[in-house]
Amino acid sequence: MYTPAHFAETDIDKLQAAIETYSFAALVSEHEGEMTASHLPLLLKRDSGGKFGTLFGHMAKANSQWEQAAGQVVLAIFSGPHTYISPTWYEEEKTVPTWNYVAVHALGRLELVQDSEEKLDILRQTVDIYEQNMPSPWPMPEPGEFLSRLADQIVAFQIPLGRLEGKWKLNQNHPLARRQRVIAALRSRTDEASQEIAGLMEERL
């Protein structure tokens, strides 16, 4: 990922927190010169696989990417909040539009999870994480015919991470006064992305 030094985020805790917060990723792999991407929720085990942790998830067995990517280095792209920045907000001449955003690239070798209990555990953890804030959380079915059929239709995998790259592009290359004007403009907007970007910019003033 092209990342000028003033936009680079290298704090592992912040990178891992971003993965956990914005966990719906694009999983990209290469096979015989062709690129393939799947859009999947990926969960992070911080204490597994070295200092960067291990991603785990699943995809439909009908999706041929798992066969192509098994044993290969893959790229998971996590996109955080992002928003357009108008040059009018700088209140200065000779400025141009841009886009502020947060992104994390995670790289590692994809390993298939063959053990049926480990596969079901990945499903349970995924359900638990995404259902935890629901008014009436959906419970994972007990072992039986339905769960067996469900498990047969998916492939589980893990990706011990060998590299994490983070980019927090938040106008750090602009003078303080310009950044404050951008924050004020974003705060005047009502969409969630503008508010999140404004908050992240404020943290870096």
Side-chain angles (χ1 to χ4, degrees), residues 71-138:
Q72 305 299 316
V73 174
V74 297
L75 166 65
I77 302 173
F78 298 87
S79 296
H82 58 90
T83 192
Y84 175 76
I85 303 298
S86 171
T88 61
W89 297 345
Y90 299 132
E91 299 178 12
E92 296 180 24
E93 295 182 352
K94 297 182 179 180
T95 57
V96 297
T98 192
W99 209 277
N100 280 4
Y101 61 89
V102 166
V104 178
H105 286 192
L107 295 96
R109 196 171 300 277
L110 187 143
E111 303 170 354
L112 299 182
V113 174
Q114 306 286 1
D115 183 82
S116 57
E117 282 302 315
E118 287 185 38
K119 180 165 38 169
L120 290 177
D121 189 53
I122 288 173
L123 289 178
R124 288 190 190 95
Q125 290 183 59
T126 303
V127 169
D128 288 347
I129 285 174
Y130 292 111
E131 285 287 331
Q132 62 184 339
N133 294 321
M134 296 295 174
S136 299
W138 180 78

Side-chain angles (χ1 to χ4, degrees), residues 81-85 89 99-100 183 185-199:
H82 58 90
T83 192
Y84 175 76
I85 303 298
W89 297 345
W99 209 277
N100 280 4
I183 291 169
L186 291 171
R187 285 298 188 198
S188 71
R189 299 163 69 87
T190 57
D191 62 287
E192 185 176 350
S194 293
Q195 296 302 315
E196 285 192 71
I197 290 294

Side-chain angles (χ1 to χ4, degrees), residues 10-12 15-16 19 44-55 106-107 159-165:
T10 59
D11 185 289
I12 294 175
L15 297 175
Q16 291 176 323
I19 288 173
L44 177 68
K45 290 182 180 178
R46 293 197 186 201
D47 57 355
S48 172
K51 68 176 182 178
F52 299 124
T54 297
L55 296 174
L107 295 96
I159 308 169
L161 297 176
R163 192 162 93 228
L164 279 181
E165 300 175 351

Side-chain angles (χ1 to χ4, degrees), residues 8-24:
E9 179 56 74
T10 59
D11 185 289
I12 294 175
D13 284 339
K14 289 183 180 179
L15 297 175
Q16 291 176 323
I19 288 173
E20 291 164 344
T21 302
Y22 312 109
S23 59
F24 191 69

Side-chain angles (χ1 to χ4, degrees), residues 59-62 66 116 119-120 123 144-155:
M59 65 176 69
K61 187 177 287 186
W66 66 268
S116 57
K119 180 165 38 169
L120 290 177
L123 289 178
E145 183 181 351
F146 173 75
L147 190 58
S148 295
R149 287 203 316 270
L150 180 68
D152 285 343
Q153 295 171 15
I154 63 102
V155 173

